[in-house]
Amino acid sequence: MLIATSCQEKRAQTEASLASVDLLRGDITLCGDSKQFGEVSFALSCDEAARETFDLGISLLHSFEYDEAEKAFVKVMDMDPDCAMAYWGVAMSNFHALWLQTGTDYLEKGAKVLALARNLSLSEREKDYLDAIGAFYEDYQNTDHKTRVSRFEQKMEEVYRKYQDDKEATIFYALALTASADPADKTYKNQRKSGEILEALFQEQPNHPGIAHYIIHNYDYPELAELALPTARRYAEIAPASAHAQHMPSHIFTQLGLWEEAVHSNRNSTASALCYGESIDPEGHWDEELHGMDYLVYAYLQMGENEKALEQYEYLKTFKKVFPVNFKVAYTAAAIPARIALENKNWEQAAKLELPPIQMDWNSFPWQKGLLHFARAMGAIRLGDKVSAETELALLHTFHQELLEQKDAYKANQILIQIKIIQAWIQFENGKQEEALALMQEARQMEYNTAKHPVTPGEVLPAGELLGDLLLAMNKPTDALEAYEEDLKRHPNRFNGVYGAAVAARAIGNKEKANRYFQLLLSLTKNANSNSNSNRKEIAEAKAFLGGA
């Protein structure tokens, strides 16, 4: 009797402690007619009535629908406060494995929930799972993010090796490998290892959302993208109710220059994200909608469909409130106007760009803010306005220093590439061609040595493509053609890369290559070039060269 009373008191204390944690509760918001997020089956020693909700939480977690996943796990905790894995689920929902989050609220929440979970009666497996995610939250006040992610990966490997029949342990270990990958490692050691593990599982579980999702993330690089194409074409069917699952295949379509598939993917994604956003906050826009919009604009620009790209920009300008305010929102808000101006070589527009009126603290996002100031600098120098270009360049140096002080080497390097590019064009404007070329080649090599961040469909202007532009401006078409062709290996079917290669080939009298590239340009822009109102002069130029083809 005393034991029973003690257990009841302990449970009451746990429930009281949970009430002090700011957990996400309420109805689980699902969009789309199917409400399908894939098939998972997680071994669970909790109330059987909670199994369906728990598996839904796992499915949502695998498609990065983090808030709704947390709601699902909290619902399980309410049904069965002794279900240790529900606490684990909440901690996992607050750990966004592939994103660097801001603030510490999510860390405080995860640490508190895990502390409560350790007061429960735990099986050995439950303890091991809790220890693995606990390695990420442990001593977060004094330990950097990279170290904590590495600790999670090491602990998750122990779980994976100890419970070899536990497929979810295998999948979460594969995710941990991806999360801890070194962005400077161009051998993609972790990504390849994770991909191999997941591909073996995919044969057994073809409708599992996490397996498909993480394969795509592992191969979201120019050198590896082809490996993920079959999976990319499956993921949206596996989890049709997930905005992120609709979007994620476009990472691979973008890497391979499959623009129509990228557009289809992101139109579906943004529609689903809009549905979700309106359900949560009718006055705001969900970050997943903005993320899809950036990829959509990028694809439209490569197809020469300026009007559709501009429609997205005008829509973006109507946004006032977004949620959550994070790096994805900041990136899209800065990248869309920069892309439209720079891709169209509208230097006047680029030089005068302003950030959309979204309610957010831009000082928290120096890398993203740098995109806009890079565009302004590029516009200014291409107009011959060296004073304004130098002003914008000084701001880029400031952003670079901020990121160094934050110990964010990756983003600091992204800004440094932009700095080198602007310095190159300033030197060219000063008549110092050798110095300009050296700086531009250095920027290209830096970019080629850096893995693409998953937030972006691609650089607002690739350094390799800009090297081709610089060489053309120096009247070196042979070298320019080589630069464009090299960059097209990394950025296939890019409008300006294809056009640049065609112009360079024409300049050196290589009619065969000029024909091929101009024909490719017309093929990529077949929807735009059938429109007599198309404002891409490059399309008209291609038609004229090919004799009105």
Side-chain angles (χ1 to χ4, degrees):
M1 190 67 174
L2 288 173
I3 295 174
T5 302
S6 176
C7 288
Q8 289 173 358
E9 289 177 352
K10 191 173 182 181
R11 182 165 183 166
Q13 289 171 358
T14 299
E15 291 178 0
S17 298
L18 279 175
S20 69
V21 182
D22 187 21
L23 297 171
L24 297 178
R25 297 180 181 275
D27 294 336
I28 302 169
T29 302
L30 308 176
C31 276
D33 295 333
S34 68
K35 305 292 190 291
Q36 292 297 309
F37 287 88
E39 298 175 8
V40 304
S41 180
F42 198 103
L44 194 64
S45 57
C46 301
D47 189 329
E48 188 62 29
R51 175 172 294 282
E52 184 178 344
T53 302
F54 186 89
D55 281 348
L56 174 61
I58 293 292
S59 295
L60 290 163
L61 186 59
H62 279 313
S63 283
F64 293 174
E65 308 275 352
Y66 293 115
D67 285 359
E68 302 313 307
E70 181 176 334
K71 288 182 191 176
F73 293 123
V74 171
K75 189 173 182 180
V76 173
M77 290 161 64
D78 290 340
M79 297 168 71
D80 181 2
D82 295 325
C83 181
M85 291 308 292
Y87 295 71
W88 167 86
V90 171
M92 285 295 295
S93 298
N94 282 273
F95 166 49
H96 300 180
L98 303 186
W99 312 124
L100 182 60
Q101 296 150 269
T102 57
T104 60
D105 288 352
Y106 73 100
L107 293 166
E108 293 172 15
K109 182 192 288 190
K112 284 181 181 178
V113 168
L114 288 173
L116 291 172
R118 291 191 177 98
N119 290 327
L120 303 174
S121 177
L122 302 173
S123 69
E124 186 175 355
R125 175 174 171 269
E126 288 169 342
K127 182 178 183 302
D128 290 339
Y129 264 91
L130 290 168
D131 285 347
I133 186 57
F136 173 74
Y137 289 101
E138 183 182 354
D139 195 29
Y140 67 82
Q141 302 93 333
N142 304 305
T143 311
D144 66 84
H145 180 270
K146 181 180 177 181
T147 299
R148 289 183 286 111
V149 171
S150 179
R151 291 191 316 211
F152 169 67
E153 183 259 310
Q154 292 165 16
K155 284 288 188 180
M156 210 55 235
E157 181 177 13
E158 293 175 14
V159 177
Y160 156 69
R161 297 195 180 282
K162 187 173 181 178
Y163 304 99
Q164 295 191 13
D165 292 334
D166 184 346
K167 302 306 181 187
E168 287 297 323
T170 303
I171 294 164
F172 280 112
Y173 169 55
L175 172 63
L177 280 169
T178 310
S180 62
D182 180 358
D185 176 22
K186 297 296 286 183
T187 70
Y188 305 113
K189 178 184 68 175
N190 276 31
Q191 294 92 328
R192 289 180 184 274
K193 182 177 180 180
S194 176
E196 289 171 4
I197 291 170
L198 293 166
E199 285 173 337
L201 280 183
F202 206 24
Q203 301 298 318
E204 305 170 28
Q205 296 177 263
N207 292 316
H208 193 290
I211 298 173
H213 187 186
Y214 307 146
I215 285 174
I216 293 171
H217 269 294
N218 281 318
Y219 297 149
D220 185 18
Y221 306 96
E223 301 89 341
L224 306 179
E226 194 72 43
L227 298 172
L229 186 57
T231 306
R233 288 172 171 159
R234 273 282 296 133
Y235 182 30
E237 297 174 8
I238 293 170
S242 167
H244 193 69
Q246 296 300 313
H247 158 75
M248 197 63 213
S250 72
H251 282 234
I252 301 304
F253 301 149
T254 299
Q255 290 282 6
L256 298 174
L258 302 173
W259 306 123
E260 289 186 3
E261 289 185 82
V263 165
H264 177 75
S265 175
N266 285 295
R267 285 179 66 87
N268 288 342
S269 173
T270 52
S272 180
L274 180 61
C275 163
Y276 178 82
E278 289 176 340
S279 301
I280 299 297
D281 183 351
E283 296 181 359
H285 293 267
W286 188 31
D287 66 348
E288 198 67 26
E289 182 186 5
L290 283 91
H291 186 51
M293 286 169 62
D294 187 24
Y295 277 73
L296 193 55
V297 166
Y298 187 85
Y300 280 143
L301 290 170
Q302 308 322 311
M303 298 166 73
E305 298 204 52
N306 271 2
E307 288 186 5
K308 291 182 178 179
L310 286 167
E311 283 176 9
Q312 295 295 314
Y313 183 25
E314 292 303 316
Y315 177 49
L316 176 65
K317 289 182 195 178
T318 68
F319 292 14
K320 297 294 188 294
K321 183 180 179 184
V322 294
F323 67 93
V325 174
N326 60 20
F327 71 102
K328 285 196 287 185
V329 166
Y331 192 93
T332 295
I336 284 180
R339 290 189 198 288
I340 291 173
L342 293 177
E343 293 269 15
N344 282 281
K345 296 182 170 59
N346 188 335
W347 309 125
E348 292 86 355
Q349 181 185 22
K352 298 175 182 176
L353 285 176
E354 299 289 342
L355 291 167
I358 294 175
Q359 298 168 7
M360 58 189 297
D361 178 12
W362 280 101
N363 292 327
S364 300
F365 304 101
W367 174 43
Q368 291 87 336
K369 196 160 52 169
L371 297 174
L372 184 115
H373 289 280
F374 168 73
R376 288 171 62 101
M378 199 71 197
I381 196 60
R382 296 305 299 272
L383 292 171
D385 182 356
K386 289 187 281 187
V387 173
S388 295
E390 291 283 4
T391 299
E392 299 296 338
L393 182 60
L395 285 171
L396 290 176
H397 278 291
T398 300
F399 301 148
H400 178 247
Q401 186 59 38
E402 285 180 32
L403 289 163
L404 288 177
E405 291 172 0
Q406 294 172 16
K407 295 183 170 54
D408 195 334
Y410 180 88
K411 291 173 187 170
N413 185 63
Q414 294 293 302
I415 294 285
L416 188 56
I417 292 169
Q418 295 174 342
I419 288 171
K420 298 287 184 185
I421 290 170
I422 299 305
Q423 288 174 333
W425 284 91
I426 289 175
Q427 292 289 48
F428 174 69
E429 190 68 23
N430 288 335
K432 298 179 179 180
Q433 293 198 4
E434 287 186 13
E435 291 88 341
L437 192 54
L439 283 162
M440 198 65 242
Q441 288 171 331
E442 184 181 359
R444 178 183 69 167
Q445 199 55 48
M446 289 171 65
E447 192 167 277
Y448 283 5
N449 289 338
T450 305
K452 182 189 82 69
H453 193 289
V455 76
T456 174
E459 303 83 5
V460 290
L461 282 181
E465 188 176 281
L466 281 169
L467 174 61
D469 291 350
L470 184 64
L471 287 162
L472 270 186
M474 292 178 176
N475 197 27
K476 296 181 177 182
T478 300
D479 294 338
L481 178 58
E482 182 180 338
Y484 287 126
E485 291 186 321
E486 180 64 25
D487 198 67
L488 284 167
K489 294 175 185 176
R490 297 177 55 86
H491 302 96
N493 294 339
R494 263 190 58 80
F495 184 107
N496 286 323
V498 171
Y499 171 73
V503 170
R506 180 180 62 190
I508 62 176
N510 189 330
K511 188 173 182 181
E512 183 271 328
K513 280 194 173 182
N515 273 336
R516 173 150 52 90
Y517 284 118
F518 275 129
Q519 285 172 349
L520 176 56
L521 188 69
L522 292 185
S523 175
L524 293 171
T525 61
K526 58 181 180 293
N527 294 327
N529 72 48
S530 64
N531 179 0
S532 60
N533 295 321
S534 172
N535 60 358
R536 294 303 298 257
K537 62 180 179 58
E538 297 92 340
I539 295 174
E541 189 176 338
K543 287 180 177 179
F545 181 83
L546 296 169

